[in-house]
């Protein structure tokens, strides 16, 4: 029986509640500690991922210029990190024909601020990225001119290892190259979008290039030979342009089809489009070009190397295919 003024039971109840409150705080504090450490580990992993991606791209670009890309990846990764722990870095290269893939992996053991409460002082974080350098399989701003893959001038360019800077004359009239089949002419005027292929449209694309992306390999319509001296090819003199390369051609006239399998860059040195057809020609100097504004080809994708290369990330943390 409880009498007025007896506070013993009240004190006992308040004491029990306080104990329960303290006990309830233990898992809550532990949970907050785990969340804080997970956030720290996630931030460190994002830094590592950014670093491996940047390092893979830089390495493949440096390789393209004759340097040793793998030698620089460790310092590139560190520039993207705020962690004081050291990172282990691995860099490997795989070359398949004209295509090179650089894969960078990195890992570190990151200290946890509250992990000791739960018996764990560090968290292991890893990241990986792969970048590929290879023949360009897509590009914008291509001119509508296309050249046969078997033309002797283009073959000589490839045989030199893309180093020969000889100015070469390429006639408008056929000189017996085989990939043109029964189509006359060494140059093809490509209809990129299936339109009317009018002279006005071709002239615009000669000056500024095709404004959409062309993906290779592809088969497009076109006309054999430069169709008329009315097209002002002279505007290209002194310019370096990129054009498609065709490996096969079929049909004739306006129904001609071209299998486009590569891209080549060239400087237009001189143009003669007047006078007898036998004297019409372009003087060109082939050149190399490496650009991030294109996609590198899959080694098995049917794209041939002609000195125009591209690079890009092909896998990130195991997602993506670089084969």
């Amino acid at each position: 029986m409880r009498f007025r003024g007896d506070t013993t039971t009240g004190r006992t109840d308040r004491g029990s509640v306080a104990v329960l409150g303290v006990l309830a705080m233990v898992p809550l504090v532990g949970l907050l500690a785990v969340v804080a450490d997970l956030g720290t580990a996630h931030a460190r992993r994002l830094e590592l991922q950014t670093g491996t991606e940047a390092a893979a791209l830089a390495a493949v670009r440096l390789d393209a210029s004759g340097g040793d890309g793998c030698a620089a990846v460790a310092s590139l990764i560190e520039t993207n990190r705020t962690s004081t722990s050291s990172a282990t870095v691995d860099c490997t290269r795989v070359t398949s024909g004209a295509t090179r893939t650089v894969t960078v992996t990195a890992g570190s053991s990151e200290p946890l601020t509250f992990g000791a409460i739960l018996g764990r002082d560090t968290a292991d974080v890893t990241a990986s990225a792969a970048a590929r350098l290879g023949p360009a399989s897509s590009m914008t701003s291509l001119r509508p001119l296309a050249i046969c893959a078997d033309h002797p001038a283009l073959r000589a360019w490839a045989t030199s290892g893309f180093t020969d800077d000889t100015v070469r004359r390429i006639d408008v009239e056929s000189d017996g190259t085989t990939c043109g089949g029964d189509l006359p002419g060494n140059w093809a005027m490509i209809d990129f979008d299936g339109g009317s292929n009018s002279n006005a449209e071709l002239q615009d694309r000669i000056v500024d290039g095709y404004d959409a992306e062309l993906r290779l390999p592809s088969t497009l319509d076109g006309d054999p030979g430069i169709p008329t001296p009315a097209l002002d090819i002279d505007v290209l003199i002194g310019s370096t342009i990129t054009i498609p390369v065709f490996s096969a051609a079929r049909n004739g006239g306006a129904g001609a089809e071209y299998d486009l399998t590569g891209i080549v860059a060239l400087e237009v040195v001189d143009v003669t489009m007047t006078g007898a057809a036998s004297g019409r020609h372009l003087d060109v100097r082939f050149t190399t070009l490496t650009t991030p504004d294109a996609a590198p080809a899959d080694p098995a994708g049917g794209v041939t190397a002609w000195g125009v290369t591209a690079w890009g990330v092909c896998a990130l943390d195991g997602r993506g295919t670089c084969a």
Side-chain angles (χ1 to χ4, degrees), residues 190-214:
I190 300 299
D191 183 8
F192 287 122
D193 59 1
S196 63
N197 211 24
S198 67
N199 282 349
E201 181 182 47
L202 289 173
Q203 185 64 55
D204 287 343
R205 291 175 181 174
I206 286 169
V207 175
D208 298 319
Y210 181 47
D211 58 4
E213 183 182 54
L214 175 67

Side-chain angles (χ1 to χ4, degrees), residues 35 155 251:
V35 169
R155 285 294 173 188
N251 307 324

Side-chain angles (χ1 to χ4, degrees), residues 97-248:
T99 301
R100 173 172 292 184
T101 302
V102 175
T103 302
V104 177
T105 58
S108 65
S109 184
E110 299 296 335
L112 299 177
T113 304
F114 304 103
I117 298 173
L118 303 176
R120 186 172 181 178
D121 296 329
T122 60
D124 294 331
V125 296
T126 60
S128 67
R132 183 165 61 204
L133 171 77
S137 64
S138 69
M139 187 173 283
T140 59
S141 301
L142 289 170
R143 267 42 178 213
L145 293 162
I147 187 172
C148 170
D150 286 336
H151 192 280
L154 197 56
R155 285 294 173 188
W157 164 244
T159 300
S160 74
F162 309 124
T163 60
D164 186 0
D165 62 357
T166 302
V167 175
R168 299 185 180 276
R169 172 173 170 167
I170 302 178
D171 295 323
V172 173
E173 287 193 339
S174 177
D175 55 8
T177 51
T178 58
C179 66
D182 60 352
L183 304 184
N186 292 320
W187 298 100
M189 299 301 292
I190 300 299
D191 183 8
F192 287 122
D193 59 1
S196 63
N197 211 24
S198 67
N199 282 349
E201 181 182 47
L202 289 173
Q203 185 64 55
D204 287 343
R205 291 175 181 174
I206 286 169
V207 175
D208 298 319
Y210 181 47
D211 58 4
E213 183 182 54
L214 175 67
R215 293 182 176 274
L216 301 177
S218 62
T219 299
L220 297 180
D221 296 334
D223 295 323
I226 294 178
T228 170
L231 287 174
D232 185 9
I233 311 294
D234 295 48
V235 297
L236 297 178
I237 293 176
S239 300
T240 297
I241 62 174
T242 50
I243 66 171
V245 177
F246 64 93
S247 58

Side-chain angles (χ1 to χ4, degrees), residues 5 40 54 95-96 110 119 127 172 184 193 224 230 243 255 260-261 278 293 323:
T40 299
T95 301
S96 177
E110 299 296 335
V172 173
D193 59 1
I243 66 171
L260 307 180
T261 55
S278 60
D293 300 322

